[in-house]
């Protein structure tokens, strides 16, 4: 799911209400345990009774065994904020392909990382290989993100990243971290 607006405006409240209503099957303004299970089942989400118990403990803040719209909204907003923080953290990683540690990698580690990205083994990393790597590591990426990364790393403008350019890119990433 892409990042949604974080509440306050009418559109977000309506969006949360639509999600709430998919679980509030009988329309009485609360989600019961049975409705929660049915909604998850209809959406193809597998769960255990333990999952349901933990979810209810987390979301049903008044402990009455039902989730009202306010409780659901608080949960959903927290979920969106958590997703947004996760996205920001992923974007802050250097430069999105490998997690930056506290020390710069050795030459052999850099060669290994480069080889992981160079899917066809031709000695260069292409924009398609960057996109593939980001999707494999994160599960998603935008074309803009891939373009920015490629533009930053491809110093000679030939549309591919050589090993030398890769080293420079990684050095920049480590210097940004400090």
């Amino acid at each position: 799911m892409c990042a949604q607006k974080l509440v306050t405006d009418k559109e977000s409240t309506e969006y949360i209400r639509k999600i709430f209503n998919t679980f509030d099957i009988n329309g009485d303004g609360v989600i019961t345990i049975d409705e929660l299970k049915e909604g998850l089942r209809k959406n193809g989400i597998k769960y255990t009774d333990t999952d349901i118990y933990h979810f209810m403990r987390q979301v049903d803040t008044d402990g009455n065994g039902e989730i009202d719209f306010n409780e659901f909204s608080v949960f959903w907003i927290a979920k969106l904020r958590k997703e947004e923080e996760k996205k920001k953290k992923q974007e802050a990683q250097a430069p999105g392909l490998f997690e930056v540690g506290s020390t710069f990698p050795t030459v052999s580690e850099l060669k290994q990382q480069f080889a992981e990205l160079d899917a066809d083994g031709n000695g260069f990393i292409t924009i398609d290989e960057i996109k593939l790597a980001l999707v494999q590591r994160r599960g998603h990426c935008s074309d803009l993100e891939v373009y920015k990364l490629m533009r930053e790393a491809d110093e000679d403008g030939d549309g591919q990243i050589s090993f030398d350019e890769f080293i420079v890119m990684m050095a920049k990433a480590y210097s940004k971290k400090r």
Side-chain angles (χ1 to χ4, degrees):
M1 165 176 296
C2 292
Q4 301 292 329
K5 294 178 185 172
L6 286 185
V7 195
T8 63
D9 69 7
K10 187 177 179 182
E11 182 181 324
S12 293
T13 302
E14 288 174 7
Y15 178 77
I16 295 169
R17 176 65 71 182
K18 284 180 185 178
I19 295 168
F20 179 84
N21 288 343
T22 64
F23 287 93
D24 181 17
I25 296 168
N26 66 5
D28 65 354
V30 294
I31 300 170
T32 64
I33 292 173
D34 290 337
E35 288 174 318
L36 177 61
K37 288 179 178 181
E38 181 63 17
L40 292 171
R41 189 191 62 72
K42 281 183 178 179
N43 287 294
I45 300 171
K46 297 182 189 266
Y47 62 87
T48 65
D49 286 336
T50 302
D51 296 331
I52 297 296
Y53 170 78
H54 288 295
F55 182 81
M56 291 297 291
R57 288 262 328 207
Q58 177 187 2
V59 180
D60 178 24
T61 56
D62 64 9
N64 68 353
E66 300 173 328
I67 300 170
D68 63 33
F69 182 71
N70 289 334
E71 291 169 325
F72 186 82
S73 295
V74 169
F75 159 76
W76 195 258
I77 293 163
K79 177 183 181 304
L80 292 176
R81 287 184 179 160
K82 188 175 181 180
E83 287 174 1
E84 190 65 30
E85 286 299 312
K86 183 178 177 183
K87 182 180 174 188
K88 285 180 184 177
K89 186 176 180 181
Q90 287 175 336
E91 289 172 355
Q93 287 181 348
L97 295 172
F98 295 99
E99 191 170 328
V100 177
S102 58
T103 60
F104 194 76
T106 65
V107 173
S108 63
E109 290 170 331
L110 286 169
K111 284 181 181 178
Q112 179 183 353
Q113 291 174 344
F114 185 84
E116 288 174 22
L117 297 174
D118 182 16
D120 63 7
N122 70 350
F124 295 95
I125 302 169
T126 64
I127 197 161
D128 291 332
E129 290 170 327
I130 289 174
K131 189 169 190 168
L132 176 65
L134 286 170
V135 169
Q136 288 174 339
R137 286 170 172 77
R138 295 187 189 169
H140 72 283
C141 69
S142 70
D143 288 340
L144 179 61
E145 182 180 13
V146 174
Y147 171 77
K148 285 181 177 179
L149 184 59
M150 186 67 167
R151 185 173 174 144
E152 181 181 326
D154 180 22
E155 293 190 343
D156 63 8
D158 65 352
Q160 51 192 9
I161 302 169
S162 67
F163 183 65
D164 290 342
E165 290 170 324
F166 179 75
I167 291 172
V168 171
M169 175 185 74
M170 294 301 285
K172 286 178 184 177
Y174 274 84
S175 68
K176 285 180 187 176
K177 185 178 181 206
R178 292 181 175 256

